[in-house]
Amino acid sequence: MQTIQSINEMQSHAISLRTNGCLIGLVPTMGCLHEGHLSLIDIAREKADKVIVSIFVNPTQFGLNEDFDRYPRILKEDLALCEDRGVDIVFNPDIADVYPKGYSTYVNEEQVSADLCGVSRPNHFRGVATVCLKLFNITRPDYAVFGQKDAQQCSMVKKMAADLNLPIEVLVGPTLRDADGLATSSRNRYLTSLQRSDALTIPNALEEGKKLVEQGVRNVDRVVAEVTHHLSQCRRIRVLYVRVVDRETMEPASEIESGKHIIVTAAWVDQTRLIDNIAL
Ligand code: PAF
């Protein structure tokens, strides 16, 4: 496995791989890799000849009072996991190279990103779109793989790729859950064991919503109320939103259709912000 820090080196390497007919799969990450990321690497592996994992904690997608400074950075462990999983290249650029002094260009997707996390995290998706486009330009992937847990991010990147005519197929891997049901996330590391057991209220609440739909309920407000009620039983949890949306476009549902809609939620568990979703 190669580790590349230099943007120029990564870009010229990617261009020469493509010239030699290699299909490239990119898994963009901020490190602190977990089983969810590893499953995305497996998806890239199935499709591509060379798998690149980028590890970059992207400052532009964090708000002023968010967790950029304390975001876990465990490069050595991440590299070992990538090596074990058969990754070909880890791209780990420096912040000062990605955003040099005087940097002033940003990408704004204005539809999919407007609502949900776009409201509670202003500028978050601008940062994600910007860094993803930069990573795409540097690593020249045929496939870029993201996880369904970040449903709005997946839709936004797909929309950006379509709107900007990027020659990239965006693939979405299923949400991976730990044995207790909590969706894998680097931010789970912030949780104490008590907080973690309370955080399980999130997947449980989503399951309650899904159960209603399985019983034939099609009314969005009823399902949202059920999930919100379940979440609000937990003292540590502060709900940011619970919504039923189209799984592709993130547009709000007016009447629930199985296979088309998902319930999405974001909530604080004490100081940790978690997101999750469930297909209906
Ligand atoms: O999902 C993430 O880890 C990040 O938002 C991404 C896609 C790597 C961009 O920084």
Side-chain angles (χ1 to χ4, degrees):
M1 187 180 81
Q2 255 181 296
T3 305
I4 301 181
Q5 265 195 306
S6 147
I7 290 178
N8 287 341
E9 188 187 336
M10 182 67 256
Q11 196 174 46
S12 41
H13 192 53
I15 290 169
S16 95
L17 286 172
R18 287 183 74 97
T19 311
N20 291 319
C22 272
L23 291 172
I24 297 178
L26 170 70
V27 182
T29 81
M30 298 203 298
C32 192
L33 304 180
H34 48 67
E35 283 300 322
H37 293 116
L38 301 181
S39 71
L40 304 183
I41 291 171
D42 294 344
I43 292 173
R45 179 87 280 158
E46 272 170 31
K47 291 289 228 174
D49 304 308
K50 293 285 177 192
V51 175
I52 303 175
V53 171
S54 62
I55 298 182
F56 178 65
V57 185
N58 174 37
T60 62
Q61 70 188 71
F62 288 81
L64 269 186
N65 297 316
E66 292 185 355
D67 55 343
F68 174 70
D69 288 333
R70 71 172 181 134
Y71 200 85
R73 291 158 172 89
I74 46 167
L75 186 62
K76 238 172 134 183
E77 289 170 43
D78 288 344
L79 292 177
L81 286 173
C82 286
E83 177 113 56
D84 273 6
R85 212 64 174 207
V87 169
D88 297 290
I89 301 167
V90 170
F91 175 52
N92 171 226
D94 278 344
I95 292 188
D97 295 335
V98 178
Y99 298 110
K101 205 163 174 285
Y103 186 88
S104 62
T105 303
Y106 296 90
V107 183
N108 255 323
E109 189 288 322
E110 298 186 348
Q111 194 175 299
V112 175
S113 346
D115 202 0
L116 308 173
C117 289
V119 174
S120 47
R121 301 188 74 187
N123 284 331
H124 168 68
F125 287 112
R126 179 182 89 139
V128 174
T130 302
V131 82
C132 284
L133 186 58
K134 283 172 77 74
L135 290 169
F136 295 164
N137 283 331
I138 296 164
T139 64
R140 305 291 169 108
D142 298 278
Y143 304 100
V145 194
F146 295 83
Q148 171 65 22
K149 183 186 70 77
D150 303 307
Q152 192 177 10
Q153 170 170 280
C154 293
S155 295
M156 190 276 291
V157 175
K158 280 185 178 171
K159 187 68 168 50
M160 173 180 80
D163 285 351
L164 298 181
N165 311 102
L166 305 180
I168 292 170
E169 193 179 332
V170 177
L171 304 173
V172 177
T175 302
L176 244 75
R177 296 185 183 277
D178 288 329
D180 57 8
L182 193 65
T184 55
S185 163
S186 306
R187 289 190 168 96
N188 293 349
R189 283 196 173 229
Y190 297 149
L191 302 170
T192 63
S193 60
L194 277 180
Q195 289 169 333
R196 184 176 169 109
S197 70
D198 280 354
L200 295 179
T201 311
I202 297 173
N204 292 341
L206 291 172
E207 285 291 348
E208 292 301 317
K210 188 181 169 83
K211 252 188 234 161
L212 275 189
V213 176
E214 283 169 352
Q215 286 160 13
V217 174
R218 293 289 171 264
N219 183 284
V220 171
D221 292 342
R222 170 111 193 266
V223 171
V224 167
E226 174 72 18
V227 175
T228 310
H229 172 72
H230 202 87
L231 288 169
S232 55
Q233 300 301 299
C234 179
R235 190 176 51 80
R236 268 185 227 285
I237 290 186
R238 201 155 42 84
V239 179
L240 287 159
Y241 62 79
V242 175
R243 301 278 276 282
V244 179
V245 297
D246 184 297
R247 63 179 305 151
E248 290 297 327
T249 63
M250 297 291 120
E251 276 165 24
S254 45
E255 183 168 300
I256 296 172
E257 280 178 53
S258 299
K260 180 174 164 66
H261 292 127
I262 58 178
I263 311 174
V264 287
T265 187
W268 289 101
V269 179
D270 288 338
Q271 270 68 260
T272 303
R273 189 185 188 282
L274 297 178
I275 55 173
D276 201 351
N277 64 81
I278 195 165
L280 297 175

